[in-house]
Amino acid sequence: MRNRILKVLKDYDLDEIKIGTLGSHSALNILKGAKDEGFETVCICRPKERIIYESFNVADFIIEVSDFKELLNESLQERLIEENVILIPHGSFNAYIGNLDRIRVPFFGNRELMIWETDRAKQREWLERAGLKMPRSLKPEEIKGIAIVKYHGAMGGKGYFLITGKDDFYAKFEELKREGFVKSLEDVEIQEYIVGANVYLSFFYSPMNERIELIAIDRRYEPVDGLGRIPAEIQIKSKVQPTYTVIGNFPIVLRESLLVKALESAKAVVEVSKEIAYPGIVGPFCLEAVFDDNAEMHVFEISARIVAGTNVGIPNSPYSYILWGENMYMGRRIAREIKVAIEKDALGEIVY
Amino acid sequence: MRNRILKVLKDYDLDEIKIGTLGSHSALNILKGAKDEGFETVCICRPKERIIYESFNVADFIIEVSDFKELLNESLQERLIEENVILIPHGSFNAYIGNLDRIRVPFFGNRELMIWETDRAKQREWLERAGLKMPRSLKPEEIKGIAIVKYHGAMGGKGYFLITGKDDFYAKFEELKREGFVKSLEDVEIQEYIVGANVYLSFFYSPMNERIELIAIDRRYEPVDGLGRIPAEIQIKSKVQPTYTVIGNFPIVLRESLLVKALESAKAVVEVSKEIAYPGIVGPFCLEAVFDDNAEMHVFEISARIVAGTNVGIPNSPYSYILWGENMYMGRRIAREIKVAIEKDALGEIVY
Amino acid sequence: MRNRILKVLKDYDLDEIKIGTLGSHSALNILKGAKDEGFETVCICRPKERIIYESFNVADFIIEVSDFKELLNESLQERLIEENVILIPHGSFNAYIGNLDRIRVPFFGNRELMIWETDRAKQREWLERAGLKMPRSLKPEEIKGIAIVKYHGAMGGKGYFLITGKDDFYAKFEELKREGFVKSLEDVEIQEYIVGANVYLSFFYSPMNERIELIAIDRRYEPVDGLGRIPAEIQIKSKVQPTYTVIGNFPIVLRESLLVKALESAKAVVEVSKEIAYPGIVGPFCLEAVFDDNAEMHVFEISARIVAGTNVGIPNSPYSYILWGENMYMGRRIAREIKVAIEKDALGEIVY
């Protein structure tokens, strides 16, 4: 598979490389970053989202599609390849397309790891092999304290909910069953709920510089954050239960001593990635963590590509500034890596 | 009215335009922005707030007044006009002066819309004509789930409170009556309370570039946010009920796909503004929204001038940077528009 | 004591001044700031934290120690003095070393005030003499509404907890006694709990410019913030009680009118500092405040040195930008002051 992509790349005109992505998720970040590094940009975009990319004037070329799945069409791929486009994948590639292995256009990064990312079991394997502490998966009998229940019908965290014990679980589970959302226990995942401070750590692994860079840190903003503004009595009387649908992100900084664990975890994740999917992680990845009462870090997810939370770090974050001393943010960091790889004639090392 | 202002403007010396405002609300933002664009600045300031504008050294001239209402005095107006001052209005103009139509000094923007802004019914008319979804106004019998009660005695959100049903409403209403805050049902407004993530979107409509720009996004910070740090049991026992008094703001970014609705709403609001108050919106405006469990946007208020939340975007926000590629923030954006209008000899198009 | 330090300083080669600190707390901020101002940097660092300072490449020289207390050793001090190092103290100096008066290496700032800072009674004296409003210390019988209980076993806010009345207090106090955390009432401090918005204001007093500068504002991020995302019913059933362990910080801005109180408080604190510990505050200090329902400011603590929350303002904050018009943050501000003092041959005025 990778060889097939590298073969396509071989015919690219290195003086005419364009950077492209789907118009969604973190495309503003990616496209602006590419322009800051001097690349021409291509935005593959649905009619309804066109207003975003036109308003911000980040796309030199807009290719309109009625569905992102059109990226699977040979004709569109042919066109992108002719234009020497390197695609920067983001969350919408997995969410709207799937079958990433059917796309011949070179991706920045390692698409095999993006596929790993979509499989909860493989994700857990990756993180546990890296020695990270994860919230435990529980059987109903094992529920102590608070647990979070996830089920397949729940898109993007929308239908996740908290419970406090076995009985509480079964009551809500029966309700879900009655409403047809789930059929059996196998349709739900019960996970230990770590109470604490959510922290999303966005790193960049640079094969060109052979180093891991911390680029930005954010905390998600969700309707469930509205709970904290409703008096407990009103919450109980109204039985309100807001969801985890992502609405936005806050920039944050992390207590300096906790960077040790964060950086060591990133390093371990990069090392394991080389074993599970050659050549391992390239470019952006995000560790999604909770720090508990003892400031211990629990990682509950990994994203093997740019996350939208990095938008908080445009044009810089405290961390990217300390490292780079200039405006640096994830989209630009990606483009910078491509630029350096072109100069070194080493694009094959960062593309898959 | 507008002609009267334009006539005043006619005698201004375009090479000597100064930018002025009341020393309050977002004056640091406005005055620093003016200086960044090369203007001299005038701060009309009460003795007690003088320490702010001196500490930050943003005012070339400080005019001390004992009350902001002195701006209604002919002598002060004459002085400002002689000095070729364009005033940048902000929230304190409405809060402390009123009667904005009695001021002859040219304002940046459209003062008629600032007057609309102070009238809840007109505001609702504007937003509904623009097709925006607003929280519903309720009669006591219509209360389902959570509602928020607002009454006139409540300054700046201080006395707003939440209720869960008709009975809960009447209990608290009777209390307000006993305490003399309200007399009849007409003195209170009951509004559907949308649980979710509060998001304040600050736009700039530029007549010079004929485009709408998203400049910054924030989320307010209020004493009620302290609730989320108090265990439910303690909340109930202590009957604590903190207020919505504005204390500050957090910078945030919005999920990219939600920008579609945000930008479309801004566009509709600008279009309707042209119908209701010629020449329509000029410069900054803010849509104050909540995104609910389904990431649907509900707009509960519009401000037709700079809001203090734009301070989070000094010297830039992710959005202003993507658009401008330089340090750009609301105060500076205003000054830039004035500068361009001076160059084009089109000041009359952005002043009222 | 101060004379002893100034005597050490006298032999420093002003062309070869280096800036150093312990590798912890806010060292990234301090060391990057020093480099931005052209200084060489020294990081005294334990093996486990080395990964941080190497990853961000902020230290020209790393001196590894097994324990920060080694800074008390004459040989290490001798080496730092030979290298013309000025140390920038931060929170870890107090937390890990104590006995700051046994260190001969010149500190930026006023080490005597750092010692004041560690004594709650002296802190209260300082703040009350400056006329600041503080939460009251309470006897069990005086508890009304919500109070917070602090005890010595509680490191960094970890074991603080809230209570609602005398009975509630005694119930929890007996529990602490049974578990051996406290012995008598003297081991706990009960403090009025102000419900509202927490705000951390970081100032810099510059003897070179004789002015107080507001450099950044943040709000802490702690596990207790996770409470606001757990429905009240679940909180009560699970008896969850997260702690105040610091995990990170959010950048915020403060409502402009509240800057009056903030700036006046800073001024008063600086003035009193001159009376209690000659020559008074030099450089960074932080007022840790809550703004209540009436937007009234209550100060519950002062830090007489850089706080980690200033990291949110790297490379700038709205406030530092308004004042400086360039990238300015606490670490850099310190280095700038040292640079100016070297030029004026006035290092003795800012070092102790």
Side-chain angles (χ1 to χ4, degrees):
Chain A
M1 176 63 198
R2 184 162 172 263
N3 287 334
R4 210 171 126 226
I5 305 288
L6 294 181
K7 220 171 130 192
V8 171
L9 183 71
K10 228 176 200 161
D11 293 331
Y12 269 36
D13 179 347
L14 295 188
D15 296 329
E16 298 291 337
I17 297 288
K18 293 186 185 62
I19 286 182
T21 195
L22 297 179
S24 177
H25 191 269
S26 51
L28 285 173
N29 193 328
I30 291 166
L31 298 174
K32 177 65 178 177
K35 289 183 77 71
D36 271 354
E37 293 296 310
F39 290 99
E40 285 197 308
T41 57
V42 179
C43 183
I44 301 151
C45 170
R46 296 181 298 197
K48 68 169 172 174
E49 283 116 357
R50 193 171 182 130
I51 186 175
I52 301 176
Y53 305 99
E54 285 182 343
S55 287
F56 284 99
N57 195 26
V58 288
D60 296 305
F61 305 91
I62 289 186
I63 298 176
E64 215 174 275
V65 293
S66 58
D67 189 307
F68 288 142
K69 273 196 193 311
E70 287 181 36
L71 195 52
L72 295 173
N73 294 353
E74 182 53 32
S75 61
L76 178 50
Q77 294 190 26
E78 203 49 59
R79 183 169 162 198
L80 293 170
I81 289 169
E82 258 165 43
E83 295 281 354
N84 305 290
V85 171
I86 293 177
L87 285 175
I88 316 297
H90 52 57
S92 296
F93 280 67
N94 270 331
Y96 292 99
I97 302 182
N99 293 94
L100 299 184
D101 45 2
R102 278 182 48 207
I103 300 172
R104 288 166 51 228
V105 189
F107 278 21
F108 174 78
N110 182 338
R111 77 179 71 188
E112 205 178 324
L113 287 170
M114 284 193 69
I115 299 168
W116 269 73
E117 177 199 313
T118 60
D119 180 330
R120 285 199 169 274
K122 284 189 151 183
Q123 237 193 77
R124 186 170 279 273
E125 183 194 332
W126 182 2
L127 293 173
E128 287 184 346
R129 265 174 73 177
L132 305 200
K133 186 158 198 156
M134 295 187 73
R136 285 184 311 134
S137 263
L138 304 172
K139 291 189 190 120
E141 303 75 48
E142 296 172 318
I143 301 171
K144 281 189 309 187
I146 305 177
I148 185 165
V149 180
K150 306 175 174 187
Y151 60 97
H152 276 87
M155 273 287 288
K158 214 194 121 190
Y160 293 1
F161 57 88
L162 302 185
I163 48 158
T164 38
K166 201 181 60 165
D167 296 345
D168 195 13
F169 167 75
Y170 277 116
K172 283 180 179 148
F173 174 69
E174 289 305 324
E175 210 177 302
L176 281 179
K177 251 166 85 177
R178 267 198 310 277
E179 288 166 9
F181 288 115
V182 300
K183 288 185 178 168
S184 74
L185 277 180
E186 263 142 56
D187 296 334
V188 303
E189 195 196 340
I190 311 171
Q191 212 176 62
E192 182 189 8
Y193 182 78
I194 311 291
V195 177
N198 291 282
V199 173
Y200 293 72
L201 298 144
S202 282
F203 296 95
F204 185 92
Y205 176 67
S206 163
M208 293 299 107
N209 298 345
E210 290 178 69
R211 70 177 187 188
I212 296 168
E213 303 175 3
L214 176 58
I215 298 294
I217 309 185
D218 73 285
R219 173 212 189 271
R220 281 207 189 146
Y221 187 32
E222 299 159 338
V224 73
D225 289 306
L227 261 189
R229 295 164 58 89
I230 302 174
E233 209 184 323
I234 305 256
Q235 285 185 40
I236 290 168
K237 280 201 260 176
S238 67
K239 296 191 195 302
V240 66
Q241 194 168 57
T243 64
Y244 301 87
T245 310
V246 183
I247 301 300
N249 308 77
F250 293 92
I252 57 168
V253 297
L254 188 66
R255 185 179 183 164
E256 193 149 306
S257 58
L258 304 181
L259 289 177
V260 172
K261 190 69 190 166
L263 291 166
E264 283 174 349
S265 299
K267 201 175 154 196
V269 156
V270 169
E271 272 160 22
V272 172
S273 76
K274 291 178 183 171
E275 297 162 19
I276 60 179
Y278 182 83
I281 274 190
V282 169
F285 63 102
C286 180
L287 296 179
E288 298 159 26
V290 193
F291 287 85
D292 69 15
D293 281 350
N294 300 306
E296 198 164 351
M297 177 172 155
H298 305 254
V299 174
F300 55 86
E301 216 170 320
I302 183 170
S303 297
R305 33 88 196 165
I306 187 173
V307 297
T310 58
N311 289 349
V312 303
I314 300 174
N316 56 50
S317 81
Y319 302 102
S320 71
Y321 178 79
I322 292 171
L323 196 58
W324 285 92
E326 61 176 311
N327 282 343
M328 185 54 72
Y329 52 97
M330 197 56 94
R332 185 174 192 179
R333 185 64 192 85
I334 292 169
R336 177 73 57 92
E337 189 80 358
I338 293 173
K339 199 161 130 183
V340 171
I342 292 171
E343 284 162 13
K344 292 191 178 176
D345 199 8
L347 258 190
E349 292 176 35
I350 61 169
V351 151
Y352 178 0
Chain B
M1 174 65 198
R2 185 161 172 263
N3 287 333
R4 209 171 127 224
I5 305 289
L6 294 181
K7 221 171 128 192
V8 171
L9 184 71
K10 228 175 201 166
D11 293 331
Y12 269 35
D13 179 347
L14 295 188
D15 296 330
E16 298 290 337
I17 298 287
K18 294 187 183 63
I19 287 183
T21 196
L22 297 180
S24 177
H25 189 269
S26 51
L28 286 174
N29 192 329
I30 290 166
L31 298 173
K32 177 66 178 176
K35 288 183 77 71
D36 272 355
E37 292 297 310
F39 290 99
E40 284 197 308
T41 57
V42 179
C43 183
I44 301 151
C45 171
R46 296 181 296 196
K48 68 169 172 175
E49 283 116 356
R50 193 171 180 128
I51 187 175
I52 301 176
Y53 306 99
E54 285 183 341
S55 287
F56 285 99
N57 195 25
V58 289
D60 295 306
F61 305 92
I62 289 186
I63 297 176
E64 216 174 274
V65 293
S66 57
D67 189 306
F68 287 141
K69 272 196 196 309
E70 288 181 35
L71 196 51
L72 295 172
N73 295 353
E74 183 52 32
S75 61
L76 177 51
Q77 294 190 27
E78 204 49 58
R79 181 168 165 201
L80 294 171
I81 289 169
E82 256 165 45
E83 295 281 355
N84 304 290
V85 171
I86 294 176
L87 285 175
I88 316 297
H90 52 57
S92 296
F93 280 66
N94 270 332
Y96 292 98
I97 302 182
N99 293 93
L100 299 185
D101 44 3
R102 280 182 48 206
I103 299 172
R104 288 167 51 228
V105 189
F107 278 21
F108 174 78
N110 182 338
R111 77 179 73 188
E112 205 179 325
L113 288 169
M114 285 194 68
I115 298 167
W116 270 73
E117 177 198 314
T118 59
D119 181 328
R120 285 199 171 274
K122 285 189 151 184
Q123 236 193 77
R124 185 170 280 272
E125 183 194 331
W126 181 3
L127 294 173
E128 286 184 347
R129 265 173 75 178
L132 305 200
K133 187 160 198 157
M134 295 186 72
R136 286 185 311 133
S137 262
L138 303 172
K139 291 188 190 121
E141 305 73 49
E142 296 173 318
I143 300 170
K144 281 189 309 187
I146 306 177
I148 185 164
V149 180
K150 306 176 175 185
Y151 60 98
H152 276 88
M155 276 286 288
K158 214 194 122 188
Y160 294 180
F161 57 87
L162 301 185
I163 48 157
T164 39
K166 202 181 59 166
D167 296 346
D168 195 13
F169 167 76
Y170 278 116
K172 283 180 180 149
F173 174 70
E174 290 304 325
E175 211 177 300
L176 282 178
K177 252 166 84 176
R178 266 198 311 276
E179 288 167 7
F181 288 114
V182 300
K183 288 184 177 168
S184 74
L185 277 181
E186 263 142 58
D187 296 333
V188 302
E189 195 197 341
I190 311 171
Q191 211 176 63
E192 181 189 8
Y193 182 79
I194 311 291
V195 178
N198 291 281
V199 173
Y200 293 72
L201 298 145
S202 282
F203 297 95
F204 185 92
Y205 175 67
S206 164
M208 294 299 107
N209 297 347
E210 290 179 69
R211 70 176 188 188
I212 296 168
E213 304 174 3
L214 176 58
I215 299 294
I217 309 184
D218 74 284
R219 174 213 189 271
R220 282 209 188 144
Y221 185 33
E222 300 159 338
V224 73
D225 289 306
L227 261 189
R229 294 164 59 89
I230 302 174
E233 210 184 322
I234 305 254
Q235 285 185 41
I236 290 168
K237 280 200 259 175
S238 66
K239 296 190 195 304
V240 66
Q241 194 168 56
T243 66
Y244 301 87
T245 309
V246 182
I247 302 300
N249 307 77
F250 293 92
I252 58 169
V253 297
L254 189 65
R255 186 179 180 164
E256 193 149 307
S257 57
L258 304 181
L259 289 177
V260 173
K261 190 70 190 163
L263 291 165
E264 283 173 350
S265 300
K267 203 175 151 193
V269 156
V270 168
E271 273 159 22
V272 172
S273 76
K274 290 178 184 172
E275 297 161 18
I276 61 178
Y278 181 83
I281 274 190
V282 169
F285 63 102
C286 178
L287 296 178
E288 299 161 23
V290 193
F291 287 84
D292 70 15
D293 281 351
N294 301 305
E296 198 164 349
M297 176 172 155
H298 305 255
V299 175
F300 56 87
E301 216 170 319
I302 182 169
S303 298
R305 32 87 198 166
I306 186 173
V307 297
T310 58
N311 289 349
V312 303
I314 301 174
N316 56 49
S317 82
Y319 301 102
S320 72
Y321 178 80
I322 291 170
L323 196 57
W324 285 92
E326 62 177 309
N327 282 343
M328 185 54 73
Y329 53 97
M330 197 56 93
R332 185 174 192 179
R333 185 63 193 85
I334 292 168
R336 177 74 57 92
E337 190 79 357
I338 293 174
K339 198 161 131 185
V340 171
I342 292 172
E343 284 161 13
K344 291 191 179 177
D345 198 8
L347 257 190
E349 290 176 35
I350 60 169
V351 150
Y352 180 177
Chain C
M1 174 66 197
R2 187 163 169 261
N3 286 333
R4 210 170 128 226
I5 304 289
L6 294 181
K7 219 169 131 193
V8 171
L9 183 71
K10 227 175 201 162
D11 293 330
Y12 268 36
D13 178 347
L14 294 188
D15 295 330
E16 297 291 336
I17 298 287
K18 293 187 184 64
I19 287 181
T21 196
L22 297 180
S24 178
H25 191 268
S26 51
L28 286 174
N29 192 329
I30 291 166
L31 298 174
K32 178 65 179 175
K35 290 183 77 72
D36 272 355
E37 292 297 309
F39 290 99
E40 284 196 308
T41 57
V42 179
C43 183
I44 301 151
C45 171
R46 296 180 297 197
K48 68 169 172 175
E49 283 114 357
R50 193 171 182 128
I51 186 174
I52 301 176
Y53 306 98
E54 284 182 344
S55 287
F56 285 98
N57 196 25
V58 289
D60 295 306
F61 305 91
I62 290 186
I63 298 176
E64 217 174 274
V65 293
S66 57
D67 189 307
F68 288 141
K69 273 197 194 308
E70 289 182 34
L71 195 52
L72 295 173
N73 294 355
E74 183 52 33
S75 61
L76 178 50
Q77 293 190 28
E78 204 48 59
R79 182 169 162 199
L80 294 170
I81 289 169
E82 257 165 44
E83 294 281 355
N84 305 290
V85 171
I86 293 176
L87 285 176
I88 317 296
H90 52 56
S92 296
F93 280 67
N94 270 332
Y96 291 100
I97 302 182
N99 292 95
L100 298 185
D101 44 3
R102 279 181 48 206
I103 300 173
R104 288 166 51 229
V105 189
F107 278 20
F108 174 79
N110 181 339
R111 76 180 71 189
E112 205 179 322
L113 288 169
M114 285 193 67
I115 298 167
W116 269 73
E117 176 199 314
T118 58
D119 181 328
R120 286 199 169 274
K122 285 189 151 184
Q123 238 193 76
R124 185 170 279 274
E125 183 194 331
W126 182 2
L127 294 172
E128 287 183 347
R129 265 174 74 177
L132 305 200
K133 188 160 198 156
M134 296 186 72
R136 287 185 310 135
S137 263
L138 304 172
K139 293 191 188 114
E141 304 74 48
E142 297 172 319
I143 300 170
K144 280 189 310 186
I146 306 176
I148 185 163
V149 181
K150 307 177 174 186
Y151 59 98
H152 276 88
M155 275 287 287
K158 216 194 120 190
Y160 294 1
F161 57 88
L162 301 185
I163 49 159
T164 39
K166 199 180 62 165
D167 295 347
D168 195 13
F169 166 76
Y170 278 116
K172 283 182 181 149
F173 174 69
E174 290 304 325
E175 211 176 300
L176 281 179
K177 252 166 86 176
R178 268 197 310 277
E179 287 167 11
F181 288 115
V182 299
K183 289 185 175 166
S184 74
L185 277 180
E186 263 143 58
D187 296 333
V188 302
E189 194 196 341
I190 310 171
Q191 212 175 62
E192 181 189 8
Y193 182 79
I194 312 291
V195 177
N198 292 281
V199 173
Y200 293 73
L201 298 144
S202 283
F203 296 95
F204 185 93
Y205 175 67
S206 163
M208 294 299 108
N209 298 345
E210 289 179 71
R211 70 177 188 189
I212 296 169
E213 304 173 3
L214 176 57
I215 299 294
I217 309 185
D218 73 285
R219 175 214 188 269
R220 282 206 189 148
Y221 187 33
E222 300 159 340
V224 73
D225 289 304
L227 261 189
R229 295 165 58 90
I230 302 174
E233 209 184 324
I234 305 254
Q235 285 185 41
I236 291 168
K237 280 201 259 175
S238 67
K239 297 191 194 300
V240 66
Q241 195 169 56
T243 65
Y244 301 88
T245 310
V246 182
I247 302 301
N249 308 76
F250 292 93
I252 58 170
V253 296
L254 188 67
R255 185 179 184 165
E256 193 149 307
S257 58
L258 304 181
L259 289 177
V260 173
K261 190 70 190 164
L263 291 166
E264 283 174 350
S265 300
K267 203 175 151 194
V269 156
V270 168
E271 272 159 23
V272 173
S273 76
K274 290 178 185 173
E275 298 162 17
I276 60 179
Y278 182 84
I281 275 191
V282 169
F285 63 102
C286 179
L287 295 179
E288 299 160 25
V290 193
F291 287 85
D292 69 15
D293 280 351
N294 300 306
E296 198 164 352
M297 177 172 155
H298 306 254
V299 175
F300 56 86
E301 217 170 319
I302 182 169
S303 298
R305 33 87 197 164
I306 186 172
V307 298
T310 58
N311 288 349
V312 302
I314 301 174
N316 56 50
S317 82
Y319 301 101
S320 71
Y321 178 80
I322 291 171
L323 195 58
W324 285 92
E326 61 177 311
N327 282 342
M328 186 53 74
Y329 52 97
M330 197 56 93
R332 185 174 190 178
R333 185 62 192 87
I334 293 169
R336 177 73 58 93
E337 190 79 357
I338 293 173
K339 200 161 129 183
V340 171
I342 292 172
E343 284 161 14
K344 293 191 178 176
D345 199 6
L347 258 189
E349 290 175 35
I350 59 168
V351 149
Y352 180 177

